[in-house]
Amino acid sequence: KKFSVLLPFDQIFLITSIGLAIFDILCLTRSFFHDGLHYWFVGTVNPMDNAKPVYWPVTWPIYKFAFTGNASMTLLICVERFIFVVHPFKSKMWCSKKRTLLYICIATIISFILTIPYFFANTWDNDGKVKPTDFAIKYGHLGFCIEDFLIRFFLPNVTLITLSTIVAIKVSFI
């Protein structure tokens, strides 16, 4: 009887894992362009004179989108696991295939919305070098503000730790 309740988790987990894999590939691709290519051409991961690679205005927002989407998909997997373990009978309603696809779409849209400022943070000057835009100068260095830290790092990690601890405690009593 327990397996019949938990069986849909395999299907839901597969759908969420595909979303996670897509964001992982974006993160790895961006890391290759940012760190790998620069190392090959300059010989160091840290650019000289804090110069950013010429493709930075394109790859940085893609990375921030992928990073936020990756955290969102990992969080979705954790929340669905929590629902399947703590509320196994309600999980069929809350974690159906359609709802999981809806959750993935919502997480992707939120990730994109949170990334929009990064698309306006850098541009190229007349010499083709990367420079911050007026937007980035006016609103400070994007990526190191408290809101960014809370949304992209602190809240997802606290949620993951909390839900995983509850699941571990619940499973240990079974």
Side-chain angles (χ1 to χ4, degrees):
K1 188 84 175 172
K2 285 186 181 180
F3 286 165
S4 66
V5 171
L6 296 178
L7 183 61
F9 180 71
D10 294 338
Q11 296 167 355
I12 303 301
F13 184 73
L14 176 66
I15 294 169
T16 313
S17 296
I18 291 170
L20 180 62
I22 290 169
F23 285 110
D24 281 344
I25 289 169
L26 281 173
C27 280
L28 290 172
T29 304
R30 189 276 177 183
S31 294
F32 169 75
F33 279 113
H34 180 254
D35 298 329
L37 287 180
H38 189 76
Y39 180 77
W40 290 339
F41 292 126
V42 178
T44 179
V45 174
N46 298 323
M48 313 255 181
D49 300 324
N50 289 327
K52 294 182 177 144
V54 70
Y55 40 78
W56 182 269
V58 176
T59 60
W60 180 243
I62 292 171
Y63 173 73
K64 292 304 270 187
F65 171 65
F67 179 80
T68 309
N70 193 330
S72 301
M73 293 301 122
T74 304
L75 201 57
L76 280 176
I77 290 172
C78 183
V79 168
E80 287 185 339
R81 182 184 62 194
F82 171 81
I83 291 171
F84 274 99
V85 171
V86 176
H87 304 288
F89 297 107
K90 293 181 181 179
S91 66
K92 286 187 178 188
M93 179 182 68
W94 291 345
C95 299
S96 67
K97 188 175 181 179
K98 281 185 178 182
R99 284 193 182 212
T100 300
L101 290 173
L102 177 68
Y103 300 150
I104 290 172
C105 289
I106 290 171
T108 303
I109 291 169
I110 290 172
S111 298
F112 182 74
I113 290 170
L114 290 173
T115 306
I116 289 174
Y118 293 93
F119 285 99
F120 302 105
N122 296 296
T123 189
W124 297 274
D125 63 10
N126 292 337
D127 297 328
K129 293 185 178 180
V130 176
K131 69 171 191 152
T133 61
D134 293 337
F135 174 79
I137 293 169
K138 181 178 180 181
Y139 293 105
H141 187 355
L142 296 170
F144 294 106
C145 61
I146 191 70
E147 296 87 4
D148 194 64
F149 171 77
L150 286 174
I151 292 171
R152 286 193 168 88
F153 181 75
F154 185 75
L155 291 176
N157 283 323
V158 168
T159 305
L160 284 169
I161 291 168
T162 304
L163 294 182
S164 295
T165 303
I166 292 170
V167 167
I169 291 170
K170 178 80 171 175
V171 170
S172 68
F173 288 121
I174 294 179

